[in-house]
Amino acid sequence: MQMVTEIVPADKKGKQKVRLDNGEELLLYRSEIKQFHLKEGESVSEEDYSRLIHEVLTRRAKRRAMHLLERMDRTEYQLREKLRMGGYPSECIDAAIAYVKDFHYLDDRRYAGMFVRLQMEKMSRRQIRTKLLQKGIKSELIEEALDEEYQSDETEQIANLLKKRHYSPGEADEKEFRRTYQYLLRRGFQSSDILKQMKI
């Protein structure tokens, strides 16, 4: 049995934060607090606690996950973070993730492949790898996606970026050379490839 230690307002939409003595916090509407007779200093039966987690919060987390994926494709890590920030207990987040995965709405491998296809003309392999790691995608899935999807010629990319920046080897001073070189390095291109193109 859990004990309710505190009930405090959580947002302007009428949600309340119900703190339990096991350290857990449940984000509930006033009507739900009333329905389950939750009061500070009183215990919650195992049955009511289970119903709150599974019938109320897990159902809400699933709907929220679906809504978030309708707006834009996300990685599992990004979706977990969004749900965590929404105040859902980890058990509800796990259930919501499993639910959207069952319908193939969430697929990190598909996300990685699509990201590579969309970015390969603008980014180096290294930069794409870094961006996908930051999105929480596992390195083996990233490598698979890069091996299957990445078809861009990096020396051509460097040449195009130099053209866009109106870089001319004969006219550039040392300051412009350094600035352009650093810009290309930050985009993840190999130093040898950059230098080769900058000196043509």
Side-chain angles (χ1 to χ4, degrees), residues 1-193:
M1 253 188 209
Q2 322 290 346
M3 176 83 74
V4 176
T5 58
E6 196 177 19
I7 299 175
V8 292
D11 60 25
K12 291 174 184 172
K13 294 174 186 172
K15 280 186 183 172
Q16 305 275 302
K17 205 175 272 188
V18 178
R19 293 195 174 108
L20 304 175
D21 62 353
N22 66 353
E24 205 161 22
E25 290 182 351
L26 309 178
L27 221 52
L28 299 168
Y29 288 103
R30 284 194 183 94
S31 58
E32 292 160 349
I33 290 169
K34 205 172 179 181
Q35 181 192 340
F36 286 89
H37 311 290
L38 302 176
K39 290 175 185 165
E40 288 182 3
E42 293 189 9
S43 57
V44 185
S45 71
E46 288 299 327
E47 187 190 339
D48 279 349
Y49 177 77
S50 178
R51 282 179 61 213
L52 275 166
I53 293 293
H54 300 106
E55 292 174 25
V56 178
L57 293 171
T58 295
R59 192 177 296 165
R60 191 176 296 150
K62 287 176 182 177
R63 280 201 308 270
R64 180 71 180 142
M66 292 289 279
H67 177 69
L68 287 165
L69 290 171
E70 273 170 21
R71 292 178 159 207
M72 64 182 278
D73 208 7
R74 296 173 195 270
T75 65
E76 181 177 333
Y77 171 79
Q78 289 171 325
L79 187 59
R80 278 185 184 278
E81 278 301 291
K82 277 281 187 189
L83 293 172
R84 189 186 61 75
M85 285 162 63
Y88 293 98
S90 55
E91 192 179 337
C92 302
I93 294 172
D94 289 343
I97 294 290
Y99 178 77
V100 292
K101 273 185 173 179
D102 277 351
F103 289 100
H104 303 287
Y105 293 135
L106 186 69
D107 184 332
D108 279 0
R109 173 60 187 83
R110 184 187 69 221
Y111 183 101
M114 189 169 64
F115 188 88
V116 172
R117 284 193 300 279
L118 290 172
Q119 302 300 330
M120 67 184 175
E121 294 306 319
K122 295 175 260 178
M123 294 182 189
S124 65
R125 283 179 74 101
R126 192 188 301 172
Q127 194 179 22
I128 288 175
R129 188 181 294 111
T130 302
K131 294 275 184 196
L132 288 171
L133 283 169
Q134 287 167 354
K135 292 172 184 288
I137 296 182
K138 291 177 181 156
S139 55
E140 59 267 25
L141 293 181
I142 297 170
E143 292 311 315
E144 268 179 42
L146 283 167
D147 289 345
E148 286 176 28
E149 307 289 349
Y150 195 89
Q151 294 165 2
S152 187
D153 179 345
E154 293 199 358
T155 55
E156 198 178 304
Q157 276 183 273
I158 294 167
N160 289 335
L161 288 166
L162 288 171
K163 210 178 284 177
K164 272 186 193 169
R165 288 177 74 91
H166 306 293
Y167 176 84
S168 170
E171 295 167 22
D173 60 16
E174 197 181 328
K175 189 179 176 186
E176 192 188 343
F177 179 91
R178 262 204 313 270
R179 196 168 51 234
T180 306
Y181 175 74
Q182 291 298 328
Y183 163 78
L184 292 166
L185 267 185
R186 283 194 302 275
R187 295 183 81 90
F189 296 108
Q190 299 286 337
S191 177
S192 56
D193 291 340

